[in-house]
Amino acid sequence: MGNTIRFTLDGKTIESSDGETIWQAADRVNIPIPHLCYLPQPDYRTDGNCRACVVEIEGEGALAASCLRKPAEGMVVRSDSERARKSQSLVMELLMADQPSREKAHERESRLWEWAETLDTTSSRFPARDSIDRDLSHPAMHVALDACIQCNLCVRACREVQVNDVIGMAHRGHHAKIVFDFDDPMGASTCVACGECVF
Amino acid sequence: MQANTIEVMAGRFRNSDGRKARPYTKGRQVDRLTKAEIKALIGESPRRDLLIEYLHLIQDRHGHLSSKNLAALADEMCLAQSEVYEVATFYAHFDVVHEGENPPPPMTIRVCDSISCELANAEKLVHDLEQASLKDVRILRAPCMGRCATAPVAEVGHNHVDHATLKKITEAVAGKHIHPAIPDYIGFDDYCGSGGYRLWKNCLKGRYSPERILDDLDTSRLKGLGGAGFPTGRKWRIVGGYEAPRLMAVNIDEGEPGTFKDRYYLESDPHRFIEGMLIAAWVVGIEKSYVYIRDEYPAIIALLKEEIAKVQSAGLADHLEIEIRRGAGAYICGEESAMIESIEGKRGLPRNRPPYVAEVGLFGRPTLENNVETLHWVRDIIEKGPKWFSESGANGCSGLRSYSVSGRVKEPGVKLASAGITIRELIEGHCGGMLDGHKFKSYLPGGASGGILPASIDNVPLDFGTLHEYGCFIGSAAIVVFSDQDNMKDVALNLMRFFRDESCGQCTPCRSGTEKAARLMAKPEWDMELLEDLSTVMTDASICGLGQAAGNPINCVFKYFPEDL
């Protein structure tokens, strides 16, 4: 294995070979770092948008997404520093503010809720967004955007993994919304119900 | 959707095994006539990166983007409908109209509600316009239009109305004055007549070497004047060090509230920038330059198209392909990597770094991105000598700054002065002092992003890096001056609403944080614990500078203006 480097993560020295991200290296040595928009599965591009996996890198101003960032020789990284943990938890708390409560959650065993438990952030002090209606137009699948965290995994599933090209992320800012074609009801869209986005 | 098709086709489809197949094609279909119209409009062999230009063509012709036209465009470009839709709905200047919806009225009035215009009673203007019930007109709020010295400002069609009043706007509407006024600027002949392009011709003749230009830039200490302040010579060397082909992106997306210096220079002396761009491309070894201009500057788009064509006809741009791109209403596209995404015809989502755009930029190539004012100074620095620039600073700082000053001063405008002067020197020495009846209370040193400073901190040099210890930065040097009549809690809410509206929505801290912060800041009492937490997560965990700076107004109000809470 060429290009092996050494870096420090949470005080542990880790050897890493070319191309591995900080998150992957952490996973390999059993240091859990929260992750929501990153799916460690074949063909899923890392995007770095949810910011649940941010880590503190010595000498850098802002925190970095560990799912994207590759370690460099001598880099000192902390996923467990007070600053990193605070942002990881706050990201989760922001997302929780806009979720249905756990009792009403559509999927209580989802990765989102698992990480919320791990980070001890299953509720939120922040005000909730305006409510969002469900799309029940498809006979097999319902679209419940009230649970959406805008991680765009379903866009990647549809566009890049299955190349069905139906789902997109429309509008911007807090209006950003998952859409089928031109924000059509799912049942009337070009969706072929492959199910990749449900995964 | 497709009800006719369904009726006509019903029951006629059977699979070979006799099972019923779906009697219609899934999703929205494209009609042939519309497709032919779109093809005629955008031309043969459409380019993916020109999607936003094509959307402009349709919006300009029809006044909106109908589903029918968008579907035809997607089909013609071989793009997913969702991909076209997400771009069309990202930018504020596109109006997407679904089947069965009414298109917008033929005329649009946009009223700027960013901070300098709010100080000048933009709120009342919006109210008065809404009460006036103008026929076939819609009234929209819009972010900073880069005319803050003449606040309040409105835009009727593409005609900007300075010092806008209900009377001026209704007259423009009645007279259908909807086209931009082209300012009186130094044209190609006059620029050449006063020594313009001589330096550039001398470069081509070999009288200057690229290395000599780079050395002069280093000595001049010219820094990126878009706001980041990165040393220009160093940036040119870095990009030049990466493998060709190299590209260039010129940032004329001047959207930071309070900033209007780039517009000022382009509307008075555009060739000085063009000459700087040609030299930059030659020194760095760039084969194509994309000039990205915000849609709020229609006069500049028109005049640059005309003047660049003259430069090309004169044989002065043979080494460089130049393409002008029109933004579509998105502050975030002023962020360098978001601009690159937009030039590629996508939503303006900032990229995670590394890699930096100098190495992996436009279309994956090494890219030199410069602000227009940075390039504006290149000719003077070489002709007058780099020390002319470096020694122009004050209070230990170096260079010149073009301060865009607005707010409660007698003579707002672009003030070219030493980098490092203080706010007092700027107000008293360059702006004729405070407005009568107004006492200096506080100021934004760097637009909406740079934080808020109190009048008590009035002796600090205004320059890159000097305001860091106060939790502020100068950025594009957009100075907005407030008086004893202004409440900083209201100011901060205006700034937060701007960030909320202009967030791209990509990352959680900024998308959700600005929305929650604006909600919390609109309450009579501010929750310090919650707002400080929001500020922390936005600053630490956002992808780009917008989110990372969005907490500054919160922090500064708590720190410097507790009496306003």
Side-chain angles (χ1 to χ4, degrees), chain B residues 90-376:
Chain B
F90 183 86
Y91 295 93
H93 291 185
F94 294 133
D95 297 297
V96 174
V97 176
H98 292 96
E99 291 91 351
E101 285 178 357
N102 289 324
M107 201 182 286
T108 299
I109 300 173
R110 289 189 159 86
V111 180
C112 174
D113 67 357
S114 287
I115 188 65
S116 302
C117 284
E118 184 176 289
L119 294 181
N121 279 326
E123 208 53 49
K124 183 173 180 303
L125 186 60
V126 171
H127 177 78
D128 291 350
L129 279 166
E130 280 166 353
Q131 294 298 308
S133 321
L134 299 169
K135 202 165 168 280
D136 294 334
V137 164
R138 69 172 164 163
I139 296 145
L140 299 177
R141 291 159 183 276
C144 186
M145 297 176 183
R147 314 178 78 86
C148 324
T150 53
V153 177
E155 190 188 22
V156 179
H158 287 298
N159 170 30
H160 284 99
V161 181
D162 292 328
H163 295 299
T165 58
L166 180 62
K167 183 161 175 278
K168 276 187 176 177
I169 293 171
T170 46
E171 280 170 7
V173 170
K176 294 201 162 48
H177 299 305
I178 55 167
H179 299 297
I182 304 299
D184 192 20
Y185 61 89
I186 301 169
F188 181 66
D189 294 338
D190 286 344
Y191 183 74
C192 291
S194 58
Y197 294 113
R198 199 161 51 198
L199 170 65
W200 170 228
K201 286 175 189 164
N202 282 334
C203 289
L204 290 176
K205 283 177 193 157
R207 290 186 191 155
Y208 290 91
S209 67
E211 197 52 40
R212 155 77 197 280
I213 305 269
L214 288 168
D215 287 344
D216 277 6
L217 285 179
D218 290 342
T219 312
S220 75
R221 294 192 219 152
L222 178 67
K223 290 175 182 156
L225 296 169
F230 193 84
T232 305
R234 214 165 105 205
K235 192 186 240 183
W236 289 19
R237 285 183 203 274
I238 290 170
V239 179
Y242 290 113
E243 202 178 321
R246 292 174 282 266
L247 300 170
M248 183 168 184
V250 179
N251 190 334
I252 315 181
D253 196 51
E254 185 178 51
E256 185 64 42
T259 317
F260 45 93
K261 64 183 180 68
D262 294 345
R263 183 178 66 80
Y264 169 81
Y265 287 120
L266 288 168
E267 288 188 349
S268 54
D269 195 2
H271 284 282
R272 208 170 281 271
F273 141 66
I274 298 171
E275 186 167 4
M277 173 174 70
L278 293 171
I279 293 169
W282 172 73
V283 168
V284 180
I286 280 162
E287 57 186 47
K288 184 164 181 180
S289 178
Y290 293 82
V291 179
Y292 188 97
I293 311 169
R294 68 191 303 228
D295 202 32
E296 288 82 350
Y297 288 176
I300 290 173
I301 295 173
L303 75 85
L304 275 185
K305 274 187 180 159
E306 208 172 307
E307 298 305 315
I308 287 173
K310 287 178 191 166
V311 174
Q312 286 167 328
S313 321
L316 288 170
D318 293 344
H319 74 306
L320 181 69
E321 198 183 335
I322 303 169
E323 197 166 304
I324 291 182
R325 290 301 187 81
R326 178 179 168 195
Y331 162 75
I332 192 60
C333 292
E335 198 279 345
E336 63 174 3
S337 63
M339 170 168 299
I340 279 171
E341 290 285 310
S342 188
I343 292 172
E344 292 180 356
K346 305 176 198 159
R347 294 174 296 155
L349 307 188
R351 295 177 181 173
N352 274 281
R353 274 152 283 204
Y356 293 90
V357 301
E359 184 183 5
V360 183
L362 256 171
F363 309 111
R365 299 308 312 167
T367 301
L368 175 68
E369 183 152 344
N370 272 150
N371 160 260
V372 72
E373 193 202 346
T374 313
L375 298 168
H376 174 94

Side-chain angles (χ1 to χ4, degrees), chain A residues 47-51 54 61-65 68-69 83 86-88 90-91 93-95 97-98 125-130 138 149-152 155 159 164-176 179-193, chain B residues 1 22 24 26-28 66-68 70-71 74 79-87 89-92 98-99 329-331 347 352-354 500-509 511-513 515-516 519-520 523 529-531 533-534 536-537 539-543 548:
Chain A
D47 197 55
N49 67 64
C50 76
R51 317 307 282 178
V54 287
L63 303 176
L68 275 173
R69 196 63 185 277
R83 193 166 157 230
K86 175 145 195 173
S87 274
Q88 293 164 7
L90 281 167
V91 162
E93 192 179 354
L94 280 170
L95 295 171
D98 296 335
R125 300 163 294 156
F126 297 111
R129 65 185 165 193
D130 300 330
H138 196 278
I149 58 166
Q150 275 88 356
C151 69
N152 93 29
V155 180
R159 186 174 295 170
N164 279 325
D165 265 348
V166 180
I167 303 180
M169 182 74 84
H171 304 282
R172 75 172 185 220
H174 65 289
H175 296 297
V179 296
F180 295 80
D181 296 340
F182 292 170
D183 200 4
D184 296 321
M186 186 194 190
S189 76
T190 52
C191 170
V192 294
Chain B
M1 189 184 18
R22 188 183 295 117
Y24 56 93
K26 280 217 83 178
R28 179 180 285 96
S66 67
S67 295
K68 197 169 80 164
L70 286 179
L79 282 178
Q81 292 189 359
S82 58
E83 216 169 333
V84 171
Y85 187 80
E86 62 184 18
V87 173
T89 55
F90 183 86
Y91 295 93
H98 292 96
E99 291 91 351
Y331 162 75
R347 294 174 296 155
N352 274 281
R353 274 152 283 204
R500 176 197 64 192
D501 295 345
E502 296 301 323
S503 165
C504 78
Q506 180 183 198
C507 70
T508 311
R511 177 190 67 247
S512 180
E515 188 256 346
K516 310 284 178 228
R519 274 180 202 265
L520 292 168
K523 292 186 174 176
E529 187 190 312
L530 287 187
L531 284 169
D533 275 353
L534 285 176
T536 300
V537 70
T539 305
D540 277 352
S542 294
I543 292 175
Q548 288 165 11

Side-chain angles (χ1 to χ4, degrees), chain A residues 53-197:
Chain A
C53 74
V54 287
V55 292
E56 191 169 1
I57 299 174
E58 203 173 277
E60 293 190 7
L63 303 176
S66 61
C67 68
L68 275 173
R69 196 63 185 277
K70 292 172 181 161
E73 179 66 42
M75 197 184 251
V76 179
V77 184
R78 296 221 74 107
S79 74
D80 64 350
S81 67
E82 196 187 330
R83 193 166 157 230
R85 284 277 182 253
K86 175 145 195 173
S87 274
Q88 293 164 7
S89 299
L90 281 167
V91 162
M92 187 57 77
E93 192 179 354
L94 280 170
L95 295 171
M96 280 294 138
D98 296 335
Q99 288 296 308
S101 62
R102 181 131 212 203
E103 305 79 65
K104 291 182 185 163
H106 307 293
E107 198 189 339
R108 285 176 212 182
E109 308 312 317
S110 67
R111 287 190 299 275
L112 176 71
W113 282 102
E114 275 176 30
W115 278 113
E117 298 243 305
T118 308
L119 291 168
D120 199 17
T121 311
T122 51
S123 61
S124 182
R125 300 163 294 156
F126 297 111
R129 65 185 165 193
D130 300 330
S131 65
I132 302 166
D133 290 338
R134 286 190 208 160
D135 174 359
L136 308 176
S137 62
H138 196 278
M141 284 177 255
H142 292 173
V143 188
L145 293 183
D146 57 343
C148 179
I149 58 166
Q150 275 88 356
C151 69
N152 93 29
L153 266 174
C154 62
V155 180
R156 281 175 276 163
C158 187
R159 186 174 295 170
E160 298 170 20
V161 179
Q162 291 294 336
V163 202
N164 279 325
D165 265 348
V166 180
I167 303 180
M169 182 74 84
H171 304 282
R172 75 172 185 220
H174 65 289
H175 296 297
K177 185 190 175 193
I178 289 298
V179 296
F180 295 80
D181 296 340
F182 292 170
D183 200 4
D184 296 321
M186 186 194 190
S189 76
T190 52
C191 170
V192 294
C194 76
E196 182 76 29
C197 60

